Amino acid sequence: MKGGTIQISWHDGKPVLTLDFHPISGLLATAGADYDIKLWLINSGQAEKKVPSVSYQSSLTYHGCAVNTIRFSPSGELLASGADGGELIIWKLHPSETNQSWKVHKSLSFHRKDVLDLQWSPDDAYLISGSVDNSCIIWDVNKGSVHQILDAHCHYVQGVAWDPLAKYVASLSSDRTCRIYANKPQTKSKGVEKMNYVCQHVIMKADQQRGDETKTIKTHLFHDETLPSFFRRLSWSPDGSFLLIPAGSFKVSPTSEAVNATYVFSRKDLSRPALQLPGASKPVVVVRFCPVAFKLRGSSSEEGFFKLPYRLVFAIATLNSVYIYDTECVAPIAVLAGLHYAAITDITWSPNASYLALSSQDGYCTLVEFEDKELGEAVSISVGKKPVDGEEKKHDLEKGDELMTETTPDESKKQAELEQNEESKQPLPSKITTDGKEKEHIMQKTDDEVMTETRHEEENQPLQSKVNTPVSNKPARKRITPMAIDP
């Protein structure tokens, strides 16, 4: 594994707010505060034993505001970009014999304020977006119109995700709640079913006991709006068995200090976290699963929490570092720190799992290149079939207090019945929302407070990584170990 911060003029020195790999060609798209979307070709550095480099390909110019999120559709034929002021554009690929060009296909207008995150449905037909106007919108891309508005949040929606099995969508907000919506189709007069998402879970607080006392107190599971980032991007696993949610703030006991955490939700129970990954010194703002599954390493150790027939790899980005995990190990397989002078804004994996890229408000991007089969031997995933058993293993590690997430009273009975009838057949992952903040304030705060100690002096300097090692020298070694949560 080699990598480093590529010190070129990505977006005229302005913050790079988002990036994504094309699922077919592997081109890297970046966007930021200069209003443009740029496409880059990744050049491997393995032959020269150097960090990878990039070659500029083209720019997509249309937006008149900062671009906060870009995502390619699963087929690679479309690109969605969300920007300040509610701008949401669909770009379409126009291939030719000599080159490929992207042109504006549709402009989706309804959001009144900045679009912070978006995600495609598995079939390219729909798109979900989250905005500073406190709403999520599900768009019918073919018609270019609003299909459904989800407006239950009372603060910024900073993260959205679409279940790869097309059953659920999730939203994370700075109102300190995560909402899970289930698709309950409505039948039209012609007998055609219309997609309709209904809120199934509102994840907000945890019930914790006071030592030996019978009384419990409620503590929030997520950071409030003071979190110095306007992104809280969550991610489903490629097989749909797990949902990974950032911006967690977990207390081991009512009197202890809150620990920054990432929550893992099993598809079997989307009402509460199945696992929490603590230990980050800064809040977690972005999580992303690698799209490739890998063959089990065959370790005889019983440390893993996930019962899967393959290994999944995922990256967790805090404001100033990246943790890389796989589902066969308890501790992270790598910790990358000291990469940027300002907050990390987005992360993405290449379609063949050769590269991990991250963007930052300091105007630079970092590329990490993995050697052939360094992460393992790739295997196929049967997405669309019955999800694999995502139940976490029992473990001898210290376990957290029981977590009980709140649901609205009028929903709880319906949810219980739905879970028995449907989730017994298909376990489902869940998501959690985080807090938002005005960009102008965040930019100032991250510039002042989120300062990493070092930056690579040379582009070809290898990226520092630590295996199974926490960032700080305090009791972080214990804190970074995932903890199973009792049912």
Side-chain angles (χ1 to χ4, degrees):
M1 178 177 65
K2 284 185 177 293
T5 303
I6 312 301
Q7 299 190 26
I8 62 174
S9 180
W10 289 88
H11 287 269
D12 296 331
K14 296 182 179 180
V16 185
L17 302 175
T18 182
L19 74 179
D20 197 34
F21 275 107
H22 190 273
I24 309 299
S25 67
L27 285 176
L28 177 65
T30 62
D34 67 342
Y35 309 169
D36 282 351
I37 302 170
K38 295 186 179 182
L39 300 178
W40 311 83
L41 177 66
I42 309 297
N43 307 308
S44 173
Q46 283 193 16
E48 298 81 14
K49 295 184 178 181
K50 297 181 178 180
V51 298
S53 60
V54 298
S55 301
Y56 170 79
Q57 299 296 297
S58 61
S59 293
L60 310 184
T61 302
Y62 183 87
H63 285 288
C65 304
V67 182
N68 300 313
T69 176
I70 53 174
R71 292 292 184 264
F72 288 103
S73 65
S75 69
E77 296 179 358
L78 301 172
L79 171 66
S81 57
D84 285 357
E87 290 184 356
L88 184 52
I89 302 298
I90 305 296
W91 306 77
K92 188 172 183 179
L93 177 63
H94 293 267
S96 63
E97 295 181 358
T98 56
N99 61 359
Q100 296 181 339
S101 62
W102 292 85
K103 297 181 180 179
V104 173
H105 180 54
K106 285 184 172 68
S107 177
L108 308 181
S109 301
F110 197 87
H111 279 301
R112 301 181 302 277
K113 296 182 180 179
D114 306 356
V115 177
L116 297 182
D117 200 20
L118 52 83
Q119 186 67 53
W120 288 90
S121 65
D123 61 359
D124 285 19
Y126 295 91
L127 184 75
I128 184 171
S129 58
S131 169
V132 172
D133 63 15
N134 304 350
S135 72
C136 301
I137 294 180
I138 296 177
W139 304 86
D140 186 323
V141 176
N142 295 324
K143 295 179 180 179
S145 61
V146 173
H147 178 80
Q148 186 177 356
I149 299 176
L150 309 174
D151 57 0
H153 284 293
C154 57
H155 213 276
Y156 307 159
V157 180
Q158 298 178 305
V160 292
W162 204 305
D163 171 22
L165 302 182
K167 176 64 177 177
Y168 296 89
V169 295
S171 60
L172 188 59
S173 169
S174 53
D175 64 7
R176 309 185 82 170
T177 68
C178 177
R179 292 180 175 267
I180 309 296
Y181 301 85
N183 183 20
K184 298 181 180 179
Q186 296 176 336
T187 303
K188 291 184 176 181
S189 57
K190 297 181 180 180
V192 180
E193 287 190 342
K194 177 183 177 182
M195 183 177 67
N196 178 51
Y197 279 92
V198 178
C199 186
Q200 182 173 343
H201 298 290
V202 181
I203 302 157
M204 181 168 52
K205 293 183 179 181
D207 285 341
Q208 291 186 326
Q209 291 185 349
R210 294 183 176 181
D212 297 333
E213 298 180 16
T214 57
K215 294 183 179 180
T216 61
I217 62 172
K218 294 182 181 295
T219 59
H220 282 280
L221 290 173
F222 304 101
H223 279 281
D224 59 20
E225 70 277 1
T226 62
L227 179 70
S229 173
F230 42 89
F231 303 121
R232 305 185 188 198
R233 310 186 197 269
L234 36 84
S235 175
W236 289 91
S237 62
D239 62 354
S241 60
F242 297 101
L243 177 65
L244 207 57
I245 303 177
S249 179
F250 179 78
K251 286 189 175 183
V252 177
S253 67
T255 57
S256 65
E257 292 186 2
V259 176
N260 294 310
T262 302
Y263 297 112
V264 181
F265 282 72
S266 169
R267 193 176 187 86
K268 286 194 168 186
D269 184 2
L270 292 173
S271 66
R272 62 179 183 175
L275 192 67
Q276 60 113 346
L277 305 174
S281 61
K282 296 285 186 179
V284 179
V285 293
V286 188
V287 294
R288 197 84 178 259
F289 271 94
C290 175
V292 178
F294 300 96
K295 185 178 179 180
L296 294 172
R297 296 191 185 278
S299 173
S300 59
S301 172
E302 293 296 327
E303 286 188 342
F305 284 101
F306 305 90
K307 294 179 180 178
L308 295 172
Y310 39 72
R311 282 187 307 112
L312 297 177
V313 177
F314 55 92
I316 294 173
T318 71
L319 289 170
N320 63 354
S321 59
V322 177
Y323 297 75
I324 301 176
Y325 285 87
D326 73 11
T327 54
E328 203 172 6
C329 298
V330 169
I333 58 178
V335 179
L336 316 174
L339 302 171
H340 291 277
Y341 289 122
I344 293 172
T345 56
D346 205 357
I347 52 178
T348 182
W349 294 85
S350 66
N352 60 358
S354 294
Y355 302 99
L356 174 66
L358 54 139
S359 57
S360 170
Q361 288 183 357
D362 66 4
Y364 294 96
C365 297
T366 291
L367 282 176
V368 179
E369 182 175 11
F370 299 94
E371 296 179 3
D372 186 33
K373 296 185 178 180
E374 182 177 356
L375 293 176
E377 182 179 347
V379 296
S380 62
I381 298 178
S382 300
V383 176
K385 298 182 180 180
K386 184 177 179 180
V388 295
D389 185 358
E391 182 180 0
E392 71 279 5
K393 293 182 181 179
K394 296 297 181 182
H395 199 267
D396 295 333
L397 293 175
E398 176 186 2
K399 296 182 179 181
D401 294 334
E402 182 174 0
L403 290 181
M404 296 295 292
T405 53
E406 290 189 349
T407 55
T408 53
D410 58 337
E411 296 171 342
S412 57
K413 292 183 180 179
K414 296 180 181 179
Q415 292 170 5
E417 183 179 354
L418 178 64
E419 291 171 10
Q420 290 179 358
N421 296 337
E422 297 183 1
E423 293 184 4
S424 59
K425 300 177 183 179
Q426 266 192 343
L428 307 168
S430 63
K431 305 175 183 180
I432 302 177
T433 44
T434 60
D435 313 334
K437 195 171 184 179
E438 293 294 349
K439 292 186 178 178
E440 293 79 10
H441 298 157
I442 294 170
M443 294 294 293
Q444 295 174 1
K445 192 164 187 177
T446 51
D447 288 341
D448 294 337
E449 296 181 7
V450 187
M451 297 289 290
T452 55
E453 295 181 359
T454 59
R455 172 187 287 279
H456 297 291
E457 296 180 358
E458 298 179 2
E459 182 177 328
N460 60 356
Q461 183 176 353
L463 185 68
Q464 296 179 357
S465 65
K466 304 175 184 178
V467 181
N468 301 347
T469 306
V471 173
S472 91
N473 294 325
K474 297 181 180 180
R477 178 174 298 277
K478 183 176 181 180
R479 289 169 50 197
I480 203 168
T481 304
M483 294 187 293
I485 294 172
D486 290 333

